[in-house]
Amino acid sequence: MAFIDYYKVLGIEKSATETEIKKAYRKMARTYHPDLNPDDKEAEIKFKEINEANEVLSHPENRKKYDQYGENWKHSEEFEQSKQQRQSYGGDQQGGFGGFSGGGDYSDFFESMFGGRSARGRTNNRQSKGEDFHAELHLDLKDVYTTEKRELTINGKKIRLTIPAGVENGQQIKINGLGGESINGGAKGDLYITFTIENRTKFKLEKTNLYSTIDLDLYSAILGGEITVDTFDGKVKLKIIPGTQNGTKVKLKGKGFPIYKKEGHFGDLYITYQIIIPTNLSEKEKELFEELVQIKKT
């Protein structure tokens, strides 16, 4: 398989910050998402590459290994272990790692290390880890408002998964040992699950805070009163202050989205009032408004 430059896949520089990586991933994931590109094989392939790139570059430790070892980053631990063993036996006294110079390509070393031929023509039987599996789980925002248990079938195996409340779109979790079998007796690979979360609610989500705009009639805005508004988990009553202006914001503390892995902790809900001007007034209503105009002039 040809080497894929994950930085080029996401369209970012190697110096990109975690925030820039997340932003680039979300933008491209939306562009190439299968739901938006039905029956488009190229978009499907691109979407998989985008997810692979994010899985590596969004994880600081994996990114460090990738920057150092490139396509062989998954085997970096084996390389370091072999390096230490060779050093302990005087391997570095020859100017390199067991026969190839420090200026050589890492791929030569990994080829001899994982099933290929060594520089001396002998087969290396060192145990290697099985292939990692990757899966994507599509959920609605409502599905991650509370902690849920799901049963998934991945590669013919059923697994029970606990999804903590507050999981974010694009977030990835790792389950050890649920990947592929090793071909030579090594440890099984791991399973990586990436969450794709769609928001079909009327609330806008930013981090753990929710935002909503509600209509407020002119009379309540002027005179005050009480209204019932929707929150993510039910309805609450709000008091309207007389003279409320269009665009006024109120904060409902603790009525936002759950904070990931902090049970009982929530963000806030911000509600913006949009005052509705009455139309199709009756003659009587017009007269009353005209009287108000005259009163204001006196």
Side-chain angles (χ1 to χ4, degrees), residues 16-74:
T17 64
E18 291 184 23
T19 300
E20 289 171 336
I21 291 171
K22 181 181 288 188
K23 183 178 180 181
Y25 166 71
R26 289 181 174 177
K27 180 180 178 181
M28 296 195 73
R30 284 195 294 269
T31 301
Y32 293 97
H33 196 283
D35 290 348
L36 301 178
N37 301 274
D39 302 321
D40 188 335
K41 294 297 182 182
E42 290 187 7
E44 182 181 346
I45 294 171
K46 185 69 174 176
F47 187 70
K48 290 180 179 178
E49 289 182 355
I50 292 166
N51 276 290
E52 287 179 13
N54 181 63
E55 289 164 7
V56 175
L57 299 184
S58 63
H59 190 292
E61 185 177 342
N62 287 346
R63 183 182 180 185
K64 182 179 179 181
K65 293 176 182 177
Y66 177 76
D67 287 344
Q68 184 173 359
Y69 300 105
E71 61 186 307
N72 298 303
W73 70 272
K74 292 183 180 180

Side-chain angles (χ1 to χ4, degrees), residues 19-285:
T19 300
E20 289 171 336
I21 291 171
K22 181 181 288 188
K23 183 178 180 181
Y25 166 71
R26 289 181 174 177
K27 180 180 178 181
M28 296 195 73
R30 284 195 294 269
T31 301
Y32 293 97
H33 196 283
D35 290 348
L36 301 178
N37 301 274
D39 302 321
D40 188 335
K41 294 297 182 182
E42 290 187 7
E44 182 181 346
I45 294 171
K46 185 69 174 176
F47 187 70
K48 290 180 179 178
E49 289 182 355
I50 292 166
N51 276 290
E52 287 179 13
N54 181 63
E55 289 164 7
V56 175
L57 299 184
S58 63
H59 190 292
E61 185 177 342
N62 287 346
R63 183 182 180 185
K64 182 179 179 181
K65 293 176 182 177
Y66 177 76
D67 287 344
Q68 184 173 359
Y69 300 105
E71 61 186 307
N72 298 303
W73 70 272
K74 292 183 180 180
H75 304 302
S76 60
E77 292 180 5
E78 288 92 336
F79 174 80
E80 291 298 334
Q81 290 173 2
S82 179
K83 175 182 173 181
Q84 292 171 7
Q85 290 173 359
R86 291 170 187 269
Q87 286 176 336
S88 67
Y89 286 103
D92 274 359
Q93 294 175 5
Q94 303 298 323
F97 301 118
F100 71 93
S101 65
D105 191 341
Y106 280 126
S107 61
D108 294 336
F109 173 78
F110 283 105
E111 182 179 355
S112 66
M113 191 171 178
F114 299 104
R117 291 282 178 179
S118 69
R120 297 191 179 119
R122 291 179 309 208
T123 301
N124 192 317
N125 292 321
R126 185 180 182 86
Q127 291 181 338
S128 60
K129 182 181 175 184
E131 180 186 2
D132 290 335
F133 289 159
H134 298 270
E136 188 171 320
L137 182 57
H138 291 256
L139 299 169
D140 190 81
L141 194 63
K142 291 181 179 179
D143 296 329
V144 293
Y145 185 75
T146 57
T147 297
E148 289 190 359
K149 292 185 182 294
R150 288 282 183 104
E151 186 175 272
L152 308 178
T153 301
I154 298 177
N155 294 311
K157 295 181 180 179
K158 289 188 176 181
I159 63 170
R160 291 186 62 83
L161 178 67
T162 298
I163 305 174
V167 165
E168 295 182 9
N169 182 48
Q171 188 170 338
Q172 184 185 82
I173 62 171
K174 170 186 173 183
I175 304 177
N176 296 326
L178 284 183
E181 298 282 350
S182 171
I183 61 174
N184 58 357
K188 285 186 177 181
D190 302 318
L191 170 64
Y192 291 86
I193 298 178
T194 301
F195 294 96
T196 297
I197 300 171
E198 297 183 35
N199 184 1
R200 298 187 180 91
T201 73
K202 65 180 181 180
F203 299 95
K204 179 182 177 182
L205 175 64
E206 290 186 6
K207 294 185 178 179
T208 59
N209 292 327
L210 294 170
Y211 297 83
S212 176
T213 299
I214 65 170
D215 294 337
L216 184 64
D217 67 84
L218 178 65
Y219 311 108
S220 296
I222 294 173
L223 302 174
E226 189 176 78
I227 61 172
T228 300
V229 299
D230 291 321
T231 69
F232 209 88
D233 63 344
K235 297 181 181 291
V236 297
K237 289 185 178 180
L238 289 181
K239 287 186 177 180
I240 305 299
I241 299 174
T244 293
Q245 300 296 305
N246 187 53
T248 296
K249 280 186 178 181
V250 294
K251 179 174 81 170
L252 302 185
K253 189 172 178 61
K255 285 295 182 179
F257 214 67
I259 300 174
Y260 180 65
K261 287 196 173 179
K262 288 190 176 181
E263 189 174 351
H265 291 75
F266 294 79
D268 303 318
L269 169 60
Y270 292 86
I271 292 177
T272 300
Y273 293 131
Q274 178 176 280
I275 297 175
I276 304 301
I277 304 300
T279 58
N280 300 321
L281 297 176
S282 65
E283 290 301 319
K284 180 62 176 177
E285 287 173 323

